[in-house]
């Protein structure tokens, strides 16, 4: 698979929806995780990322304008030991609980399906990274070409990550009505040499009208220590 310029890809895509990018810096010393959310409706745009222990949660920027929380309020990122989990929905907790109970990333996701928002049937995208090896996995749970009665579960494992490379997956292929789901394998992308450059590139590449929030995490593969960067387009109303 050809390695793409993620900045160019995102800049030319009005609405990929939610996206996850995971990879390793060119020096092989750090794993990087990026997760962004976008929104077309007022309810989807009414969100911010806020830090919690080991990760982040989504909150309503203005609680008085929150309409339906069940698909927009969740924990996108949680950490369990050496495992860093990132998803676009409450399956973050499903994966966390499955691993804690002796299961796996895959076994947790096999209990879930795509979101109940027909006719879009938004896919559930998920990733997990080991803080010492840098090995990571990605998954997408999607409908069969818009068929709300059929779920397809895909898993992608990168057990020996290549320095300077990563993979990107999003909920949607592009804007539309209904919105077409992402197709094929995660895209192979070039990774920058620093978490700051990664965060700035992602945020600047997202459509200005539709972007909402961005989370980026840098994991030192020798020590396992992690640091985060958050971007929110909208301010939280107290």
């Amino acid at each position: 698979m050809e390695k793409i310029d993620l900045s160019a890809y995102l800049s030319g895509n009005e609405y990929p929806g939610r996206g996850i990018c995971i990879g390793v810096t060119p020096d092989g010393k750090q794993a990087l995780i990026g997760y962004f959310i976008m929104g077309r409706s007022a309810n989807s745009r009414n969100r911010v990322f806020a830090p919690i222990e080991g990760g982040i949660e989504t909150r309503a920027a203005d609680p008085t304008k929150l309409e339906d929380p069940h698909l927009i309020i969740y924990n996108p990122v949680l950490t369990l030991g050496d495992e860093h989990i990132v998803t676009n929905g409450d399956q973050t907790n499903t994966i966390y609980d499955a691993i804690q109970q002796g299961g796996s990333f895959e076994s947790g996701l096999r209990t879930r399906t795509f979101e109940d928002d027909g006719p879009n049937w938004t896919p559930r995208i998920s990733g997990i990274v080991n803080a010492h090896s840098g090995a990571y996995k990605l998954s997408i749970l999607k409908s069969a070409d818009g068929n709300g009665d059929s779920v397809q579960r895909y898993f992608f494992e990168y057990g020996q990550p290549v320095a300077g490379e990563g993979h990107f997956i999003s909920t949607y292929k592009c804007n539309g009505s209904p919105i077409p789901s992402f197709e094929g394998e995660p895209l192979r992308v070039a990774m920058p040499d620093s978490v700051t450059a990664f965060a700035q590139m992602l945020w600047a590449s997202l459509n200005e009208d539709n972007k909402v929030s961005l989370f980026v995490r840098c994991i030192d593969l020798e020590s396992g220590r992690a640091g985060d960067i958050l971007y929110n387009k909208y301010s939280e109303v107290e």
Side-chain angles (χ1 to χ4, degrees), residues 1 22 31 34-35 38 60 78 94 133 140 158 167 188 190 217 224:
M1 180 185 294
I22 301 174
Y35 173 63
M38 305 178 79
L78 292 173
T94 302
S133 69
I140 183 168
Y158 307 95
H167 291 84
R188 181 171 169 245
R217 171 166 288 178

Side-chain angles (χ1 to χ4, degrees), residues 59-234:
R59 295 177 185 168
D62 185 346
T64 66
K65 296 180 179 178
L66 180 63
E67 298 173 7
D68 181 3
H70 92 285
L71 292 178
I72 67 169
I73 302 300
Y74 55 92
N75 298 321
V77 178
L78 292 173
T79 306
L80 179 60
D82 290 337
E83 304 298 329
H84 296 250
I85 306 162
V86 54
T87 89
N88 73 319
D90 62 11
Q91 73 268 25
T92 314
N93 290 78
T94 302
I95 296 166
Y96 184 101
D97 292 342
I99 295 172
Q100 193 174 49
Q101 295 164 15
S104 65
F105 177 75
E106 294 85 353
S107 68
L109 288 171
R110 288 191 179 105
T111 69
R112 302 301 304 269
T113 184
F114 46 80
E115 295 183 358
D116 57 343
D117 62 342
N120 294 320
W121 307 119
T122 298
R124 292 189 183 273
I125 56 172
S126 308
I128 189 167
V129 187
N130 183 274
H132 290 288
S133 69
Y136 58 94
K137 300 176 183 179
L138 289 166
S139 171
I140 183 168
L141 314 180
K142 56 184 290 189
S143 68
D145 295 322
N147 181 350
D149 295 322
S150 178
V151 60
Q152 298 179 337
R153 298 181 178 91
Y154 298 90
F155 299 94
F156 307 91
E157 184 171 358
Y158 307 95
Q160 295 176 309
V162 177
E165 293 186 6
H167 291 84
F168 171 81
I169 195 167
S170 58
T171 51
Y172 307 129
K173 182 167 63 174
C174 58
N175 210 346
S177 183
I179 317 174
S181 296
F182 183 92
E183 294 179 349
E185 294 183 25
L187 302 176
R188 181 171 169 245
V189 301
M191 298 298 289
D193 58 8
S194 75
V195 65
T196 302
F198 186 47
Q200 291 176 344
M201 177 275 290
L202 288 173
W203 191 243
S205 301
L206 298 175
N207 179 273
E208 186 63 34
D209 291 334
N210 294 324
K211 68 183 180 182
V212 175
S213 295
L214 169 69
F215 165 89
V216 170
R217 171 166 288 178
C218 173
I219 305 168
D220 184 280
L221 296 177
E222 182 176 355
S223 67
R225 291 192 297 267
D228 300 338
I229 296 174
L230 297 181
Y231 286 77
N232 286 310
K233 181 176 180 180
Y234 303 101

